[in-house]
Amino acid sequence: MDYVAALVPPVVMAAFFVGLIRVIVKTQGGANKAKEDAAVDAALARAEAARQAD
């Protein structure tokens, strides 16, 4: 039974890692992507305007 106790932590960590990767992949598109892109574009425009004003 020692081998079961030795294998449980890596299996649990692998399962959580797979879940984390799935969440990351699922949040990389759709409606959130458009909002994130717009926020980045606005931040870049503000930075560019501030650089040109100097």
Side-chain angles (χ1 to χ4, degrees):
M1 294 304 282
D2 287 340
Y3 61 90
V4 173
L7 290 176
V8 169
V11 170
V12 170
M13 289 191 321
F16 280 122
F17 182 71
V18 168
L20 175 67
I21 296 301
R22 290 185 67 194
V23 167
I24 290 171
V25 169
K26 283 186 177 185
T27 59
Q28 292 299 311
N32 289 339
K33 183 171 178 19
K35 287 192 292 187
E36 291 170 0
D37 289 347
V40 169
D41 289 342
L44 289 175
R46 282 193 306 268
E48 182 67 23
R51 187 176 64 85
Q52 289 180 354
D54 288 343

